[in-house]
Structures are given as structure tokens and as C-alpha cells.
Amino acid sequence: MIEPMVQEEKVRKIFAHRLALACDRAGMEKHGRQAAIASAQKVTAKAVSKWFNAESIPRRGKLAELATMLDVVPGWLLGDGDDDDFARAPTAAPVRKGYRVAVLDVQASAGPGVYTDSEVVETVHLIEYASEHAKSIFGGRPAENVKMITVTGDSMEGTIEPGDQIFVDVSVNRFHGDGVYVFVFGRTLHIKRLQMEKDRLAVLSDNPNYNAWYIDEAEEDRLHIMGKVLLCQSQAYKRFA
């Protein structure tokens, strides 16, 4: 019984080592890569942490999905070949050079706010852009900082319509100048324009039917900024016949 246990431990260590190598090769930042994998693979952050710490390896189905995500073959993650062989593996998918934006399974309300009781937000799918095109529209921001979410409500009509998809810079997690933000206040998720007025934040709607409201200094601990809106993509349908 001792030999199989030693072998299993060896495989776990090799897997953890090569998982980190594959993430590096894929351009995933060290900070946040575990959360990104957990979201994409629909597993818990604890499970992914065990993979990186050589405490366990994923089951066959998840191993295949993980290998596809990282553009390697499953066998290489488990120890086949040398550390740098995965770049030449004939069955590995080609390394993608595009810019992939995650579409999140969350809706931000341009209205009274969407009640939220969970910190877990899953990636629904990825939209891939050519690198040069992405650079022009996202201003050179890293792909991991840009997420897409869908807007509900009509308080931002004229600027952002219900059903539009917005691109958000999630590296902005505090007020960073006047602009449109996605934020949680209390237990509700909003998309609104935030503007500093002396010692308080004005929460503004572009639809004149909605009144402004304010966040005072004493209420700042209830405000959690998720990101700053960069641009939006209309989902309007136009009939031509």
C-alpha cells in the first residue's frame, strides 16, 4: 500500500507544478487565476486551491475541460513528457492570441436595484476579439480586468438601454472620478452615475424620471464598487421588412 500512495502523491505534485506552468503560459495573472479557473470550470474555489497545492487532482471530465481551457493535453498535466513539451503536443489546441472577455452571469439594475445574496458570479461564456481591435476599444487594459454584464431597468435610458451589455473595468474597486459604475449598496446591485459633491456621493440617473439620491460619509461602508463602465453594446432589434 505504501508504493501506490507515494505514486499518487508524486502525480499530485507534478500536476500542481504543471498547472502553474500552463497558467503562466496562458498569460493568467497569479493573483486571481484560481478564482478564474473555479468560475470557468464551475467548481468551488476550495477545489481549485487543492489542485494548486497538490492536495488533489480533478476527475477525468474536469481534467479534460481544464486542459482545453489552458490549451494543453490532459496527459501532460499528469506527467507525460517534459515540462516544456506541452507547447509542441500535437493534440493540444493552438495557443490563442486573441483577447477574451468573460460574460458574467449577473444583471446590474439601472433602476431600483437587484437584490443580491451571493458573492458567486459564474462566467457564462467568453467573447474573443482580435488583439489589435481589443486594444483600440479597451484602451490596452488586460483582458482579466474587463467583464461584460447585462443591464436591466430604465433609469439610465438615453445612455444605456434595458438589455444592453456593458463592459466593466473590474480593477476599479473604489470611486475613481465621476462616471458610470456598477456597485452594491447594502444588498442591492446598481448601475448608476456617481458624482462627488463636496463630502458625499450623488447617485444619478440619466433618465429624468428618476430622482438623485446620496451616499454620505457615514454610509460609505455599505458601498462596494464592482467596477467602472467603459462602454456599452446595444441589444436593440431593428426590423427591415
Side-chain angles (χ1 to χ4, degrees), residues 44-160:
T44 66
K46 184 176 181 180
V48 177
S49 177
K50 287 184 176 181
W51 298 348
F52 277 93
N53 292 321
E55 297 175 18
S56 69
I57 59 176
R59 294 184 178 181
R60 182 177 300 177
K62 287 297 178 185
L63 178 65
E65 291 177 9
L66 181 63
T68 299
M69 176 184 176
L70 297 173
D71 292 330
V72 299
V73 291
W76 179 84
L77 286 172
L78 297 177
D80 291 351
D82 298 325
D83 281 357
D84 60 353
D85 278 347
F86 73 103
R88 303 188 298 272
T91 56
V95 176
R96 297 186 177 94
K97 298 183 182 299
Y99 184 104
R100 288 174 284 179
V101 175
V103 180
L104 302 183
D105 184 19
V106 64
Q107 292 184 327
S109 177
V114 173
Y115 179 77
T116 178
D117 60 359
S118 174
E119 296 180 357
V120 177
V121 178
E122 291 185 351
T123 300
V124 178
H125 60 273
L126 299 171
I127 298 178
E128 186 162 345
Y129 297 85
S131 298
E132 287 304 311
H133 180 53
K135 184 177 180 180
S136 68
I137 61 177
F138 299 123
R141 293 174 175 83
E144 61 267 21
N145 289 354
V146 180
K147 309 297 180 186
M148 178 191 281
I149 61 179
T150 302
V151 176
T152 64
D154 62 356
S155 76
M156 294 297 289
E157 274 190 346
T159 304
I160 303 172

Side-chain angles (χ1 to χ4, degrees), residues 186-197:
R187 299 298 296 275
T188 53
L189 184 65
H190 303 267
I191 169 173
K192 300 283 188 182
R193 194 175 298 279
L194 296 181
Q195 180 177 303
M196 182 63 71
E197 293 187 2

Side-chain angles (χ1 to χ4, degrees), residues 187-217:
R187 299 298 296 275
T188 53
L189 184 65
H190 303 267
I191 169 173
K192 300 283 188 182
R193 194 175 298 279
L194 296 181
Q195 180 177 303
M196 182 63 71
E197 293 187 2
K198 293 185 179 179
D199 57 352
R200 65 178 183 175
L201 276 177
V203 183
L204 308 173
S205 301
D206 288 1
N207 184 336
N209 293 323
Y210 287 78
N211 296 324
W213 48 283
Y214 300 90
I215 301 173
D216 296 319
E217 187 176 354

